Amino acid sequence: MADKLAPTVEKRLDAASLDKVYSLKNDAIVSFLNQYMELLDPDSVFVSDGSDKDNDFIRAEALNNHEEIQLPGMHTLHYDNYYDQGRDKGKTRFLLPKGVVLGQAIDTMDREEGLADVLGIMKGAMKGRRVYVLFFVLGPADSEFAQLSVQITDSSYVAHSEIILYRPAYKSFKKYPNKPFFKFVHTQGELYTFNLKLGGKDLAFKVSKNMEKKRIYIDLQDETVLSANTQYAGNTIGLKKLAMRLGIQRGSREGWLTEHMFVMDVFGPNGRVSYFTGAYPSMCGKTSTAMIPGEKIIGDDIAYVRNRGGKAYAVNVEKGIFGIIEGVNAKDDTVLFKKLHDKGTEIIFSNVLLKEDMSVYWNGMDKSPPPTAGINYAGEFKAGMKGPDGADVKPSHKNARFTIDISALENADAAMLNNKQGAPVAAYIYGGRDVDTSVPIEESFDFEHGIVFQGAFLESETTAATVGKAGVRTINPMSNIDFLSVPLGKYIKMNLDFGAGLGIKPKVYRVNYFLQDEKGEWLNERTDKVVWLKWAELRAAGEVDAIKTPTGLIPKYDDLARLFKEMLGKEYSKDDYTKQFSIRVEKQLERLARLKVYYETEDKWIRANSKDESTFIPAVVFKILADEERLLGDAKAKHGSVIAPDKLA
Ligand code: SPV
Ligand code: MN
């Protein structure tokens, strides 16, 4: 490792940046810079120590570079390329050395081949540009959860987003010069400029151009992620979904978990606080659950979970929210809606509509007719227009987002946000999206059943959060399948082993906010989910009974009726209860059949390609599959293919 920057690199740093690098006394950082600066060939290198001054510089750069547009107050707006509106799974690959396998559920490629490809694309990609070097810590600084990270990016929008979303760590790097760190290298590649007129004003914004050269490659061996020719945050912000993958691998060696989970406070009677974590695929209600009015939020997307003294503790890996904006409205999302209009709070909007008066609009923000003109991710927007691929263009993209610091929210749990101990976890929730199979909430029989049946068997419809077709049922274990860097069987086993090591185990729940009747009408209102949550809290505290069904434990009508009245002032009819909580045996059996094929295929593949038993699908997965088939089969023989909850009480 080098203790000096190569002269060809050193000349790109001004005195202040040089001082920031050398003050760290960290040879690994110097080597990392040497390796990538020569390759990327930027004109200048800006090293940030996370100070207000450096952050302000980056904010200004985002505007000067036309990656963001200034809106009134502290709001800005960013657009991604029309074809860069979500995580691009097709362009995302784990790079594996020969002989290493992750299974067929995970996209991989040969490491040498992948590196040659992406490094070829990155060669000279930053010519004529400035690059930003930033230091962050995932999880609270100085805690046992803390993972250090360095981001190199030529996108000032990515750098700006990270300032909002992640904890600064220049000081931590100084304190721990020998600690390993995750490395993220990103170039937005060649840019395309949209020049647009809006209300007599000239506006220009720049987006990544060469979509066919988009790459998101994860080198597990070097704990390095290389991303090119994209700006969309889920593909570029190393600390977000890219660091999740590195976290899962590191945790698999060290005995902790990286989960696609929110962390929140749920209040019980007399001010009792129970901490819940929840894993839902994107667009299945995860952020809105963590933001339920009256509860408190600690994190909305990613959690590290550790065993301390036989108890599970969770922290938010991040400090901000990169949240879906579609449908956020004054009635269902009171706190957030208000905040999104607060000009004194720093917010980056992305892929929403900009109106002539410089205000932003997103689909579903209110009941008034949507605007018919403005600019958006497709350029100049006119109602009824089609995009370059022939698809309907709505005012804002379905995956349009806002970026905000959680501490700006009045419902943030300020005391727990940076708590180094983490929040003691009372319950996990696994949330999926289906219209016809799962009940609104159900508790597992025990922890193991929860990990397998509620977690590993999670099936959900795909959404617009990833590039591709929405509405297809996919199996998404723990809603973490997109981010697994260890074989699926090993990941399930990690979760089971983690639970086995706990003296007090979290309760495990499964929720589904998206049930419909035969006519396609929603069976629940969005605000109903507070009732499911309150019921889960009471169960976790041992205060209410439940009804045992073949697939888990469901609420009793009286408890829900009381909670609906208390929380929402609503009369909850027995008829609604019966419709929502009937066990759809036939649908569940169909789901099990799909799961059986999925897990058998995976197990067969991994056994054929790996000698390592720890990568096989754990036997308990097949045992619970068989148990559930039997339980559901027996119930069907006795009660028919749809069973009203009263028949089981
Ligand atoms: C998700 O899609 O799960 C998100 C947004 O949280 S992204 O950053 O794109 O991953
Ligand atoms: Mn997510």
Side-chain angles (χ1 to χ4, degrees), residues 71-237:
L71 302 180
M74 293 173 74
H75 296 181
T76 60
L77 170 64
H78 165 81
Y79 287 114
D80 297 298
N81 183 303
Y82 183 86
Y83 296 104
D84 195 21
Q85 295 285 321
R87 278 188 281 113
D88 200 330
K89 294 208 276 183
K91 301 279 170 60
T92 306
R93 289 274 181 285
F94 285 100
L95 306 184
L96 299 183
K98 301 233 173 343
V100 179
V101 292
L102 290 183
Q104 58 170 15
I106 301 170
D107 289 326
T108 65
M109 75 184 286
D110 177 70
R111 181 170 183 268
E112 299 298 315
E113 219 176 283
L115 284 177
D117 176 31
V118 66
L119 295 177
I121 286 175
M122 284 188 159
K123 195 167 164 48
M126 295 187 186
K127 248 192 194 72
R129 289 203 190 140
R130 179 176 283 129
V131 66
Y132 312 93
V133 180
L134 309 125
F135 302 89
F136 296 104
V137 56
L138 298 166
D142 289 320
S143 73
E144 65 171 334
F145 296 93
Q147 309 299 324
L148 298 180
S149 305
V150 180
Q151 172 85 55
I152 293 176
T153 179
D154 60 1
S155 162
S156 38
Y157 157 71
V158 168
H160 181 197
S161 301
E162 289 183 329
I163 293 169
I164 299 174
L165 294 171
Y166 300 97
R167 298 175 179 94
Y170 185 77
K171 282 200 191 92
S172 293
F173 271 85
K174 261 193 168 160
K175 199 162 162 185
Y176 308 104
N178 300 315
K179 224 180 151 175
F181 53 90
F182 295 146
K183 302 184 257 316
F184 304 103
V185 183
H186 166 247
T187 174
Q188 51 190 344
E190 226 182 302
L191 299 171
Y192 173 80
T193 309
F194 275 101
N195 288 302
L196 294 164
K197 272 207 183 318
L198 186 73
K201 271 195 281 301
D202 289 317
L203 295 172
F205 56 92
K206 297 194 177 191
V207 302
S208 291
K209 182 174 161 191
N210 298 323
M211 293 291 109
E212 74 292 349
K213 288 193 191 154
K214 196 194 285 189
R215 300 287 185 275
I216 304 115
Y217 285 178
I218 302 134
D219 179 9
L220 290 173
Q221 184 174 306
D222 257 359
E223 295 191 307
T224 302
V225 182
L226 303 165
S227 158
N229 292 301
T230 166
Q231 289 167 315
Y232 174 72
N235 299 326
T236 58
I237 294 184

Side-chain angles (χ1 to χ4, degrees), residues 85-88 165-166 232-237 240-242 244-245 260 280-283 286-287 300-302 318 322-324 399 401 463-466 479 482-483:
Q85 295 285 321
R87 278 188 281 113
D88 200 330
L165 294 171
Y166 300 97
Y232 174 72
N235 299 326
T236 58
I237 294 184
K240 201 165 188 55
K241 291 313 198 302
L242 309 177
M244 257 184 102
R245 285 132 162 140
H260 194 200
Y280 307 39
S282 25
M283 294 195 178
K286 189 161 67 150
T287 301
D300 89 311
D301 198 28
I302 310 166
E318 314 172 277
F322 175 61
I324 291 166
N399 196 31
R401 297 206 173 227
T463 66
T466 53
S479 81
D482 288 354
F483 315 112

Side-chain angles (χ1 to χ4, degrees), residues 605-620:
W605 190 95
I606 201 88
R607 280 170 191 270
N609 290 281
S610 161
K611 303 248 168 330
D612 177 2
E613 255 184 63
S614 75
T615 65
F616 301 171
I617 299 296
V620 65

Side-chain angles (χ1 to χ4, degrees), residues 530-593:
V530 67
V531 171
W532 317 145
L533 216 62
K534 292 295 193 193
W535 178 79
E537 200 281 336
L538 291 173
R539 279 291 297 168
E543 292 184 4
V544 284
D545 287 334
I547 299 170
K548 191 165 183 188
T549 80
T551 54
L553 304 159
I554 60 169
K556 292 185 147 177
Y557 169 71
D558 290 346
D559 293 322
L560 292 184
R562 183 169 48 81
L563 287 169
F564 265 102
K565 186 98 204 157
E566 251 173 58
M567 299 311 304
L568 301 168
K570 253 176 39 180
E571 296 300 329
Y572 185 55
S573 74
K574 191 71 190 266
D575 189 42
D576 279 348
Y577 171 72
T578 303
K579 275 190 199 140
Q580 293 162 16
F581 284 92
S582 283
I583 305 304
R584 293 144 178 91
V585 180
E586 199 60 52
K587 291 284 176 193
Q588 288 282 2
L589 284 167
E590 286 168 17
R591 187 168 78 95
L592 282 184

Side-chain angles (χ1 to χ4, degrees), residues 235-311:
N235 299 326
T236 58
I237 294 184
L239 291 289
K240 201 165 188 55
K241 291 313 198 302
L242 309 177
M244 257 184 102
R245 285 132 162 140
L246 301 181
I248 289 171
Q249 175 184 250
R250 212 183 252 184
S252 79
R253 295 179 185 143
E254 300 176 358
W256 48 274
L257 303 172
T258 302
E259 296 300 315
H260 194 200
M261 283 176 162
F262 66 59
V263 188
M264 72 181 292
D265 308 44
V266 183
F267 292 94
N270 305 315
R272 177 178 63 218
V273 182
S274 300
Y275 297 101
F276 276 47
T277 60
Y280 307 39
S282 25
M283 294 195 178
C284 292
K286 189 161 67 150
T287 301
S288 65
T289 302
M291 294 282 295
I292 287 179
E295 319 299 339
K296 282 189 173 174
I297 180 168
I298 299 167
D300 89 311
D301 198 28
I302 310 166
Y304 289 154
V305 190
R306 297 187 80 114
N307 173 345
R308 190 177 330 106
K311 256 182 122 165

Side-chain angles (χ1 to χ4, degrees), residues 382-450:
K382 290 263 181 302
M385 74 183 277
K386 305 269 185 215
D389 57 351
D392 288 338
V393 174
K394 297 268 164 42
S396 69
H397 192 273
K398 264 191 104 48
N399 196 31
R401 297 206 173 227
F402 62 92
T403 301
I404 195 171
D405 193 316
I406 289 183
S407 65
L409 298 169
E410 65 193 54
N411 59 338
D413 181 345
M416 199 43 99
L417 224 44
N418 288 305
N419 188 308
K420 293 185 181 126
Q421 305 298 310
V425 183
Y428 291 172
I429 304 181
Y430 292 108
R433 180 184 189 107
D434 70 62
V435 295
D436 60 7
T437 307
S438 312
V439 292
I441 184 160
E442 129 191 292
E443 181 185 317
S444 68
F445 298 134
D446 54 37
F447 186 83
E448 190 175 71
H449 180 252

